[in-house]
Amino acid sequence: MKILITGATGLVGKELVKLLLAQNHTVNYLTTSLSKIESKSNYKGFYWNPELGKIDENCLYEVDVIVHLAGASISKRWTNAYKQEIIESRILSAELLYNLVRKTPNQVKQFVSASGIAIYPDSYTKVYDENTTETEDSFLSHVVKKWEESANRFQVLGLKVCKIRTGVVVSKDGGAIPEMAKPIKMGFGAAFGNGKQMQSWIHLKDLVALYDFAIENQLEGVYNAVAPNPVSNKELTKVIAQALKKPLWLPNIPEFVMKLILGEMSYLLFSSKNLSSEKIRSLGFQFRFSQIEDAINDLYN
Ligand SMILES: NC(=O)c1ccc[n+]([C@@H]2O[C@H](COP(=O)([O-])OP(=O)(O)OC[C@H]3O[C@@H](n4cnc5c(N)ncnc54)[C@H](OP(=O)(O)O)[C@@H]3O)[C@@H](O)[C@H]2O)c1
């Protein structure tokens, strides 16, 4: 198959490209950065600039599936201007792709989009799945709704649309875990708030395997990309400290302190997402990392 990926140069994209190439798929990718363009027989970069509405139309040639991962990082301070960038980098880019697919003769059958778990209500004990209709009233939840709406538009063009609601990605190369590990390595690690907030996590290798599974099986609809056993923030902090062989001796860091430091973005540390991945597992997807200890030890030991 030929797969067009946006955001292919990011944390998830790089690992997904590796997996798809190893399976003899061909990858085209769109990048906003001219310096990241490579041109090999099975891996070809194309320039786009969603903000300016620019896209190299050759990117769609003989493509069967589009995977949309592009989006400005959510872990930079949420000023009003940056909030706008978080939304627009996901929506304008999807719109640009939509218009290209609409007006160009093509053979694309499926649109797979990254999505987030912020849409779900907070919960310590109640486990939410993809059938949940309740949503949270927060900035990130609003982003997810808009993001998924922009993906759903591809249905009008006859494409299968699949949305991967992704939990905290466990990787050494980016995302939340290295940030949590930094103070622990220096001996200043501590859980946040009461530490009971649930973290629905997924190992990067499982996440890209799940994207591959969604493509191979031409899945449609929403899927939670979270390992079967979410853990509390306290547990996650403890497991990272154990893997790094560092003690945790400080009291938990209160929410108001992190709010002062991070502003609204402190949401990322205190929201509690307790989610099920039963839906994807019931289709036969098997997680390689189901327990947080195994996932974290894979990074640090
Ligand atoms: N990592 C996580 O824990 C996590 C959790 C939940 C959901 N997700 C979502 O999954 C997707 C991939 O995550 P990731 O961790 O791989 O992200 P990442 O490392 O930040 O990479 C995202 C890619 O998007 C492109 N990009 C950045 N800003 C952009 C902009 N303003 N306009 C257009 N493209 C832009 C960049 O590619 P170029 O420089 O090549 O253009 C970048 O490499 C993201 O949408 C993310 O929100 C990630």
Side-chain angles (χ1 to χ4, degrees), residues 111-279:
F111 185 80
V112 183
S113 178
S115 180
I117 58 174
I119 195 166
Y120 292 108
D122 265 15
S123 155
Y124 289 155
T125 50
K126 185 171 173 188
V127 179
Y128 287 100
D129 67 18
E130 294 86 342
N131 293 321
T132 308
T133 50
E134 282 170 77
T135 60
E136 192 186 66
D137 182 20
S138 66
F139 165 65
L140 271 194
S141 174
H142 170 70
V143 172
V144 172
K145 284 176 208 159
K146 292 260 172 215
W147 200 359
E148 293 195 351
E149 276 166 22
S150 66
N152 288 340
R153 286 186 74 201
F154 286 82
Q155 284 166 351
V156 178
L157 304 176
L159 271 65
K160 290 182 173 165
V161 172
C162 181
K163 288 146 287 184
I164 310 288
R165 290 183 178 164
T166 308
V168 175
V169 176
V170 171
S171 163
K172 209 163 56 173
D173 302 321
I177 303 298
E179 294 305 318
M180 290 182 77
K182 264 185 219 163
I184 296 175
K185 279 181 186 165
M186 293 189 288
F188 298 117
F192 293 106
N194 62 19
K196 289 184 188 165
Q197 62 277 35
M198 295 300 287
Q199 322 253 231
S200 288
W201 57 275
I202 181 166
H203 192 293
L204 179 59
K205 289 204 169 83
D206 278 329
L207 178 59
V208 297
L210 198 150
Y211 271 96
D212 180 43
F213 186 85
I215 294 168
E216 288 299 328
N217 295 287
Q218 290 285 295
L219 297 186
E220 281 184 275
V222 170
Y223 291 89
N224 289 342
V226 299
N229 299 293
V231 289
S232 67
N233 174 264
K234 188 175 170 190
E235 181 68 15
L236 177 57
T237 311
K238 197 176 84 189
V239 170
I240 297 173
Q242 274 167 353
L244 294 170
K245 301 186 176 57
K246 292 284 182 185
L248 287 177
W249 54 274
L250 286 175
N252 291 7
I253 303 167
E255 187 164 355
F256 80 90
V257 173
M258 294 316 294
K259 260 201 179 132
L260 281 175
I261 299 172
L262 298 176
E264 194 182 347
M265 198 180 112
S266 63
Y267 165 91
L268 297 174
L269 305 175
F270 295 96
S271 68
S272 185
K273 302 299 173 193
N274 198 354
L275 304 177
S276 157
S277 54
E278 178 55 33
K279 185 175 176 189

Side-chain angles (χ1 to χ4, degrees), residues 83-98:
K83 277 176 159 179
Q84 199 59 22
E85 192 174 335
I86 289 176
I87 297 180
E88 287 187 350
S89 58
R90 288 166 173 81
I91 311 307
L92 295 181
S93 52
E95 270 175 22
L96 194 54
L97 285 167
Y98 173 86

Side-chain angles (χ1 to χ4, degrees), residues 6-13 29-33 36 48 50-51 68-74 85 89-90 93 114-117 147 166-169 175-176 211:
T6 75
T9 61
L11 176 70
V12 178
Y29 65 98
L30 283 159
T31 175
T32 55
S33 175
K36 292 184 191 166
W48 73 337
E51 219 182 304
H68 182 39
L69 302 174
S73 167
I74 57 161
E85 192 174 335
S89 58
R90 288 166 173 81
S93 52
S115 180
I117 58 174
W147 200 359
T166 308
V168 175
V169 176
Y211 271 96

Side-chain angles (χ1 to χ4, degrees), residues 283-294:
L283 296 179
F285 180 77
Q286 291 184 348
F287 283 85
R288 197 165 138 197
F289 298 94
S290 294
Q291 303 295 340
I292 192 66
E293 290 82 357
D294 297 338

